[in-house]
Amino acid sequence: MKLDFSKTLPTPLYFVDRDENTLYIKRDDLYPFSFGGNKARKGLNFYKEFKAKKADFLVTYGSTSSNHARIIANIAASSDVPCIIISPEEVKKETFNKKIIEGFGAKFVFVPVNRVASKIEELLSELREDGYTPYFIEGGGHGNIGTESYRNCYDEIKAFEAENNMKFDYIFHATGTGTTQAGLVSGKLMSEDDTKIIGISIARNSKRGRPVVIKSTRDYLSSQFTDKEIDDAVIFEDRYTAGGYGSEAGCVEATIDYVMEKYGIPLDRTYTAKAWHGMTEYIDEKEIKGKNILFIHTGGAPLYFDYIMEKNKETGK
Ligand SMILES: *Cc1c(COP(=O)(O)O)cnc(C)c1O
């Protein structure tokens, strides 16, 4: 197997700053494949099943700015198999991820968002008729394999705690399709930790997003834990979405500029800057003091450059 990342080191976890709390960061954006991020961690786990099933065609769902689509297109190119990304035609934006994906030779198929499910079925049966064995990965790397990937990430965090003789009181991260959070929550429940895992929603409201995280956690853990235990462990904050998916809110952009300048850490407008901003607001509002806080950087490096390009266009630099 060419793409075997089972023996890579844990992603870097280090101290960032101390004010009323002590802040650490886990740089999953430095996961060592295709600009890293949670989609790389998940995607390479899906790749194992793709290989095990002897599939020869990769199909997934994602927008033109999707980090997940970039990772899957890169995996396909690396293993020399064709790749199709079903994409909602509503968000046909020129982005760095789109250029990178096309560079790998993957093909976008644009459909109206309400026809996505039927298009996927149609395409998969066409490919089977043509003699291929297609492997479909849900948008965002959803499913138990995605959840498992972040259970593994949680284990890396546990190992850091053990080595440094400390505990994290809070873990903050951006939550979207939900398996990043489900994996972390599963890890926490399995190790009986009282660390609070706070998913900062990047788009979905709690009514829509939280049940998805709960279901993913339940699917992964089967019947090891009660509904109440899972319910109590899923903290889904929808107050910091700043206008949804590709936000251009001032607080989000100011966060990108600040964190890059102060710590040299690139964030983006869709995911990580919202999570960072949400984290600081949450800490202020709840008057959290004297705690160990961990921010998980879930990746999205190309989106940082989308932001920089657009910002420079506006200011004429
Ligand atoms: C997809 C993504 C998320 C959200 O992860 P989910 O597992 O879908 O909840 C967060 N950050 C970045 C950079 C992402 O690409």
Side-chain angles (χ1 to χ4, degrees), residues 18-214:
R18 181 174 290 119
D19 45 25
E20 286 172 324
N21 297 287
T22 309
L23 178 66
Y24 294 79
I25 190 166
K26 182 158 174 69
R27 297 289 302 273
D28 246 27
D29 59 318
L30 300 179
Y31 196 87
F33 181 73
S34 198
F35 300 111
N38 64 352
K39 304 312 185 303
R41 196 187 268 278
K42 295 188 205 184
L44 289 158
N45 258 349
F46 280 99
Y47 174 78
K48 287 184 203 155
E49 190 178 83
F50 164 83
K51 286 305 264 185
K53 291 200 159 160
K54 302 203 182 327
D56 54 14
F57 206 117
L58 273 163
V59 180
T60 193
Y61 171 74
S63 75
T64 52
S65 61
S66 164
N67 295 315
H68 168 70
R70 176 189 76 248
I71 296 295
I72 302 308
N74 201 346
I75 289 174
S78 167
S79 359
D80 210 13
V81 302
C83 177
I84 289 181
I85 320 279
I86 309 275
S87 203
E89 66 182 15
E90 289 79 358
V91 275
K92 228 178 190 172
K93 232 176 127 195
E94 283 308 316
T95 64
F96 283 109
N97 271 338
K98 181 163 184 271
K99 290 190 211 316
I100 296 169
I101 291 164
E102 288 168 344
F104 291 133
K107 218 180 107 198
F108 279 105
V109 172
F110 293 100
V111 290
V113 81
N114 61 346
R115 282 198 34 228
V116 166
S118 58
K119 182 71 203 175
I120 290 167
E121 280 318 306
E122 205 180 289
L123 176 69
L124 292 177
S125 56
E126 276 170 23
L127 289 173
R128 286 189 196 104
E129 276 165 31
D130 290 346
Y132 287 107
T133 307
Y135 182 76
F136 176 69
I137 305 175
E138 277 186 59
H142 204 67
N144 274 345
I145 294 177
T147 304
E148 165 91 3
S149 312
Y150 272 80
R151 215 294 307 281
N152 298 342
C153 176
Y154 193 84
D155 290 345
E156 293 179 11
I157 296 167
K158 293 282 297 173
F160 178 92
E161 288 179 331
E163 248 166 64
N164 294 278
N165 197 20
M166 56 87 73
K167 290 294 275 180
F168 291 112
D169 300 294
Y170 290 88
I171 297 176
F172 288 87
H173 69 94
T175 190
T177 58
T179 53
T180 298
Q181 187 167 8
L184 296 169
V185 167
S186 298
K188 162 200 152 79
L189 287 169
M190 291 165 81
S191 354
E192 299 179 10
D193 285 331
D194 48 19
T195 309
K196 288 192 173 63
I197 294 162
I198 320 282
I200 305 288
S201 177
I202 57 105
R204 293 175 177 173
N205 62 24
S206 180
K207 192 163 171 274
R208 165 144 188 253
R210 190 167 177 273
V212 180
V213 177
I214 291 174

Side-chain angles (χ1 to χ4, degrees), residues 5 7 16 28 56 100 106 119 155 195 199 220 231 279 281 292 298 300 304:
F5 284 70
K7 291 189 181 61
V16 176
D28 246 27
D56 54 14
I100 296 169
K119 182 71 203 175
D155 290 345
T195 309
Y220 180 70
D231 196 76
M279 169 177 74
E281 295 281 301
N292 288 324
T298 44
Y304 170 80

